[in-house]
Amino acid sequence: MQWCHDRPSAAVVWAAMGFVFVAGCSPALDWRTARFEAAPVEATLPCKPERATREVPLRGPQQPPVALHMLSCQAAGRTFAVAAVRLPDASAAGAAAASTPPMDWIETWQRASWATLRVDAGAAPAPAGWQAVPCALRDAAWSRCWRGSGQAPDGQPVAAELHWASNGRWLVQMALYGPSLPPEAHALFFGGVALR
């Protein structure tokens, strides 16, 4: 599956996959609140984010692509990224159906994210060594979160944690990558993302 059709910058390419390995941000953690312009999502990030929107085939190769809105930055050797996509209108569905995003979208996004880290789940729910972790996003009705390891674009080992959450209208991914996942940055970043 081809996700990127051009190469405007390394950050945009990786963000469209759910992975953003941005080069050249401040090494210090300078936390601030950032908001998407086109999605009701806010995030707490330790550096000034790069913003991008890309069309990605989350609905499958035979369906029109959807707009994926992204914020990402790198600080202290770690990459912090948040991406959001608008889900189909579920107003005609029941409450339970409306609170759960289309699972094929989730599976496509997960597998693309793992493939970018050069790991493969095969027929399993997750790649070997990846574990489900507890998580919650403010104002979300559904969430799924994984932690594991893979390879950065330069081939170096990288630890990663990937969260997906939805309120039935938007599907959000939060991703943290680096040589390790420090508890303080982990708590501030994942605890600072919210659906508005």
Side-chain angles (χ1 to χ4, degrees):
M1 177 182 297
Q2 184 68 35
W3 283 72
C4 301
H5 303 288
D6 55 14
R7 298 183 61 174
S9 74
V12 169
V13 171
W14 287 104
M17 298 288 291
F19 292 93
V20 191
F21 293 92
V22 193
C25 286
S26 168
L29 298 181
D30 181 15
W31 295 92
R32 82 274 314 274
T33 299
R35 293 179 175 85
F36 284 85
E37 295 176 0
V41 179
E42 66 179 28
T44 301
L45 296 167
C47 38
K48 184 177 180 180
E50 179 173 336
R51 298 170 181 270
T53 298
R54 279 288 175 269
E55 299 291 313
V56 295
L58 284 181
R59 300 175 64 186
Q62 304 305 318
Q63 298 296 321
V66 296
L68 185 69
H69 309 284
M70 298 158 281
L71 295 173
S72 63
C73 68
Q74 186 177 45
R78 293 168 181 85
T79 300
F80 302 79
V82 182
V85 64
R86 182 77 166 92
L87 294 173
D89 184 11
S91 59
S99 67
T100 304
M103 296 314 293
D104 55 334
W105 290 36
I106 297 293
E107 296 298 330
T108 299
W109 202 342
Q110 282 184 167
R111 291 187 181 276
S113 297
W114 287 326
T116 303
L117 282 171
R118 303 180 187 178
V119 294
D120 183 13
W130 281 71
Q131 298 179 339
V133 293
C135 61
L137 176 67
R138 285 180 282 164
D139 300 319
W142 177 96
S143 60
R144 176 183 290 180
C145 305
W146 298 99
R147 182 184 297 151
S149 60
Q151 292 183 33
D154 62 3
Q156 294 299 309
V158 64
E161 187 160 335
L162 308 174
H163 292 197
W164 284 269
S166 175
N167 61 359
R169 298 180 304 279
W170 287 85
L171 176 60
V172 178
Q173 185 205 53
M174 297 137 281
L176 174 58
Y177 315 94
S180 63
L181 303 178
E184 299 82 5
H186 178 282
L188 283 168
F189 173 60
F190 287 113
V193 179
L195 286 156
R196 294 184 278 115

